[in-house]
C-alpha cells in the first residue's frame, strides 16, 4: 500500500493524506477492461479501497454488480450508483461472499507483513469457493528513481526517493491537474513472488496466475 505519510493541496484529504478532489478527477486507464476480460459476465464484485469510484463506475457500466468499500466517507460519498460501505479493509466482515474480490491501487504493497495478511484474509473471507481475488501489485521499477511524467491528463513527479531495508521505498508523489497541485509522501514495499505466494497461503489463498506479462495483476483463488 502506498501508505500516506501526510499530504498537501486543495480540498479535503483522507487521514493518510490522499486528496479526494484529485482522485475524483482520475480516469480509468484500461483496468476495467482487463478486469472484465478476466471474470464472468455480470459477476458480483467486492471492491476493496474503491476511492471515489474510478473503476467502480466503469465496472457497473459493463454490467457487473459492485459493492464498493473504502474507509473514507469523503471518498465513497462520490459514489451514488451502487452500494457503498465505509470500513477499513482489515476489519471488514460481511455475511456474504462474492464471485470476485478486487483489491487495486497497490494496497497489497503495504509495508507491513501483518497488515498485508489482514488485507488478504479479508479477501479470502469474502470470495466464493469457486471465485477469484484480483490484485494489482506495484512493480519494483515504479518508484525506483525520481522522474517526471507528463501526459494530456496532467503531470506527476516522483521525488525524494528513499530505498529502505526490506525492499521498502519512500517517495513523494506530486500531481498537477488543471492548474492545481497535490503532494503526498508514501511508503511501499516491493514483494517477491515467494513472499506474495507465502502470504496468500497463510491467508487461505493460492496464487493461480498472472493476468499481465509484467506480473502487475495477479489472480488468487481460495485453497
Amino acid at each position: 500500500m502506498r501508505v500516506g505519510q501526510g499530504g498537501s493541496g486543495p480540498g479535503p484529504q483522507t487521514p493518510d493524506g490522499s486528496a479526494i478532489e484529485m482522485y475524483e478527477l482520475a480516469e480509468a486507464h484500461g483496468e476495467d477492461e482487463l478486469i472484465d476480460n478476466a471474470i464472468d459476465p455480470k459477476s458480483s464484485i467486492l471492491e476493496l479501497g474503491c476511492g471515489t469510484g474510478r473503476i467502480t463506475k466503469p465496472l457497473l457500466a459493463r454490467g457487473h454488480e459492485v459493492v464498493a468499500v473504502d474507509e473514507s466517507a469523503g471518498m465513497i460519498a462520490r459514489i451514488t450508483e451502487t452500494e457503498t460501505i465505509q470500513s477499513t479493509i482489515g476489519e471488514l466482515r460481511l455475511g456474504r461472499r462474492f464471485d470476485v474480490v478486487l483489491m487495486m491501487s497497490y494496497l497489497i504493497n503495504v509495508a507491513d507483513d501483518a497488515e498485508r495478511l489482514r488485507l488478504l484474509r479479508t479477501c479470502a473471507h469474502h470470495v466464493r469457493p469457486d471465485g477469484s481475488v484480483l490484485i494489482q501489485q506495484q512493480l519494483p521499477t515504479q518508484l525506483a528513481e525520481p522522474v517526471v511524467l507528463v501526459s494530456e491528463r496532467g503531470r506527476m513527479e516522483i521525488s525524494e526517493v528513499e530505498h529502505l531495508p526490506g525492499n521498502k521505498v519512500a517517495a513523494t508523489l506530486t500531481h498537477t491537474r488543471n492548474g492545481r497541485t497535490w503532494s503526498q509522501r508514501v511508503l511501499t514495499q516491493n514483494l517477491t513472488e515467494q513472499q506474495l505466494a507465502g502470504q496468500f497461503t497463510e491467508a487461505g489463498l493460492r496464487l493461480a496466475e498472472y493476468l499481465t506479462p509484467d506480473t502487475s495483476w495477479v489472480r488468487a483463488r481460495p485453497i
Side-chain angles (χ1 to χ4, degrees):
M1 185 185 209
R2 292 183 170 178
V3 177
Q5 306 295 301
S8 63
Q13 298 177 354
T14 64
D16 70 355
S18 298
I20 294 173
E21 290 182 4
M22 185 196 77
Y23 278 88
E24 196 168 18
L25 291 172
E27 309 94 347
H29 304 308
E31 298 95 336
D32 56 314
E33 181 178 6
L34 184 152
I35 295 163
D36 186 59
N37 289 337
I39 64 178
D40 292 333
K42 298 184 178 180
S43 289
S44 60
I45 302 174
L46 179 66
E47 184 186 2
L48 302 175
C50 62
T52 58
R54 181 177 69 90
I55 302 303
T56 315
K57 296 168 187 178
L59 289 176
L60 289 168
R62 289 178 177 272
H64 301 289
E65 298 178 22
V66 185
V67 174
V69 178
D70 202 281
E71 68 175 328
S72 167
M75 288 282 197
I76 60 174
R78 269 64 177 180
I79 304 173
T80 59
E81 298 86 347
T82 192
E83 179 185 355
T84 59
I85 298 172
Q86 183 186 357
S87 174
T88 63
I89 295 172
E91 294 175 341
L92 183 71
R93 290 295 183 271
L94 304 177
R96 46 187 157 149
R97 294 180 181 266
F98 298 80
D99 300 323
V100 178
V101 176
L102 175 62
M103 192 166 72
M104 297 178 47
S105 302
Y106 315 117
L107 296 177
I108 191 68
N109 296 98
V110 61
D112 182 298
D113 290 346
E115 178 61 20
R116 189 180 314 111
L117 184 57
R118 282 191 286 271
L119 301 183
L120 289 173
R121 282 176 171 158
T122 293
C123 294
H125 181 86
H126 292 96
V127 68
R128 289 179 174 160
D130 58 347
S132 293
V133 177
L134 303 187
I135 291 173
Q136 182 187 28
Q137 69 168 337
Q138 180 176 280
L139 300 175
T141 55
Q142 287 180 259
L143 294 181
E145 59 186 9
V147 67
V148 175
L149 305 172
V150 179
S151 71
E152 68 279 1
R153 296 182 296 272
R155 180 182 189 273
M156 185 183 79
E157 180 179 0
I158 300 172
S159 63
E160 300 176 319
V161 177
E162 293 182 72
H163 292 275
L164 305 170
N167 287 328
K168 297 177 183 178
V169 182
T172 298
L173 308 182
T174 302
H175 300 265
T176 301
R177 296 195 62 167
N178 301 334
R180 295 187 292 169
T181 297
W182 298 269
S183 288
Q184 185 181 25
R185 186 69 177 168
V186 300
L187 176 66
T188 188
Q189 182 176 357
N190 295 312
L191 303 171
T192 66
E193 181 173 326
Q194 184 178 12
Q195 286 174 311
L196 189 62
Q199 284 217 304
F200 279 171
T201 299
E202 197 170 352
L205 300 168
R206 62 178 176 85
L207 199 162
E209 64 175 326
Y210 291 106
L211 301 179
T212 54
D214 65 2
T215 74
S216 59
W217 282 86
V218 184
R219 187 198 307 272
R221 293 194 184 276
I223 294 174

